[in-house]
Amino acid sequence: DGGITQSPKYLFRKEGQNVTLSCEQNLNHDAMYWYRQDPGQGLRLIYYSQIVNDFQKGDIAEGYSVSREKKESFPLTVTSAQKNPTAFYLCASSTKTGLYEQYFGPGTRLTVT
Amino acid sequence: AQKVTQAQTEISVVEKEDVTLDCVYETRDTTYYLFWYKQPPSGELVFLIRRNSFDEQNEISGRYSWNFQKSTSSFNFTITASQVVDSAVYFCALSEMNRDDKIIFGKGTRLHILP
C-alpha cells in the first residue's frame, strides 16, 4: 500500500535533548513537508523540500533542522533551541510543490518535559 | 493578513442535519488552487478536494458538495444529511501560482455531529 509513515506515534523527551522524527513515503513524490499543529492554531509550515538534497525554511523553522538524502525520507530534528517543542507534527508529500494536493502521514505527538 | 479565513471555529449539529462550512480566501493571483482537508480524531489529514481558479462549477461527491464563488472569494463546503463519522476538524487551504510553492491553511473548523 502506498502512503506516508511517521514514527513513532507518541514521543516523550526531556528538555534539552534533540529528537528526530521519522517520515517515509513510498508514493514516489518529489516534494515533502513538515508541519506543526498546536491546539486552535491550524497548520504551520516548518520546512519543505522540492527535491533530494534541497530544502527550504517554512514559516517557523527556528529550532528545527531537516535533511533530504533520499527521495523517500525527510526526517525532522527538533533541537534544544526550539523553545516550545511540545506539539503534534505532521509530515506530508505531494507530486510537486505548490499547486498539487498534499498527502499526510498519521503524525507524531511530541511531549517535552 | 490572513489569506484563508474560516470564521467558524466550532459548529455542532444534530445527525442528519445539513451543515455548511465557510471558507473565504484572499489572493491577487489569477491562477490558484483551493483545497479542503478533513482531520478526524486520529489526527491524519485526509485530502477531500482540489479546485482551480478557472473552474467555478460546483462539485458534488456523495453527501459532500462544494460551492466556489470567485465574486465573493469563497469556497464553501456542505455536508448533507450529516453523520457522526463526519465529526472532525475541516481545513480549507489555498495555493497561489507565484508564491513560494506553499499551501496556506486556514485555522480549521471543528465540526461536532451529535447523535
Side-chain angles (χ1 to χ4, degrees):
Chain A
D1 285 329
I4 301 174
T5 57
Q6 290 185 246
S7 59
K9 180 73 173 171
Y10 299 93
L11 192 53
F12 298 88
R13 280 293 183 270
K14 295 288 187 188
E15 198 172 315
Q17 293 179 336
N18 291 356
V19 57
T20 297
L21 280 59
S22 165
C23 177
E24 304 276 331
Q25 55 100 357
N26 61 4
L27 299 167
N28 200 33
H29 285 170
D30 287 321
M32 296 187 74
Y33 310 79
W34 274 105
Y35 292 91
R36 170 182 171 138
Q37 187 177 26
D38 296 283
Q41 292 287 330
L43 275 68
R44 292 187 289 170
L45 183 64
I46 304 172
Y47 269 97
Y48 65 105
S49 168
Q50 296 168 299
I51 200 167
V52 175
N53 292 323
D54 187 44
F55 47 84
Q56 285 79 40
K57 292 182 179 180
D59 302 315
I60 56 165
E62 186 176 346
Y64 299 97
S65 65
V66 293
S67 63
R68 185 90 187 274
E69 297 175 3
K70 297 187 300 182
K71 188 175 185 177
E72 304 79 25
S73 179
F74 191 41
L76 172 74
T77 297
V78 184
T79 74
S80 56
Q82 168 51 233
K83 290 186 169 62
N84 297 298
T86 295
F88 187 51
Y89 291 88
L90 285 157
C91 179
S93 70
S94 65
T95 306
K96 292 186 193 300
T97 52
L99 303 177
Y100 296 84
E101 60 270 22
Q102 296 176 10
Y103 294 91
F104 284 79
T108 292
R109 193 167 297 279
L110 173 65
T111 303
V112 177
T113 56
Chain B
Q2 226 172 344
K3 293 237 178 188
V4 180
T5 302
Q6 296 179 255
Q8 304 149 306
T9 306
E10 203 157 342
I11 301 174
S12 294
V13 300
V14 177
E15 197 173 17
K16 297 183 184 173
E17 287 185 352
D18 299 347
V19 58
T20 295
L21 309 183
D22 297 332
C23 174
V24 173
Y25 63 92
E26 179 187 329
T27 181
R28 293 180 183 173
D29 285 2
T30 55
T31 303
Y32 54 90
Y33 281 79
L34 296 162
F35 307 82
W36 274 96
Y37 287 84
K38 173 182 179 180
Q39 185 178 37
S42 61
E44 181 173 342
L45 267 78
V46 177
F47 165 71
L48 296 177
I49 189 172
R50 178 181 76 148
R51 177 52 55 97
N52 76 59
S53 53
F54 299 108
D55 182 2
E56 281 193 80
Q57 278 197 337
N58 288 340
E59 175 94 10
I60 298 175
S61 177
R63 296 184 296 105
Y64 294 173
S65 62
W66 291 268
N67 180 261
F68 176 28
Q69 292 199 337
K70 288 174 77 169
S71 61
T72 55
S73 296
S74 65
F75 186 44
N76 296 338
F77 172 32
T78 297
I79 301 175
T80 303
S82 61
Q83 299 176 3
V84 172
V85 293
D86 296 326
S87 297
V89 181
Y90 291 87
F91 291 95
C92 180
L94 164 72
S95 182
E96 299 166 291
M97 179 72 131
N98 299 312
R99 298 281 188 274
D100 301 334
D101 297 324
K102 292 185 278 190
I103 290 181
I104 303 160
F105 286 85
K107 294 197 172 185
T109 296
R110 183 175 296 275
L111 177 63
H112 300 278
I113 309 297
L114 307 171

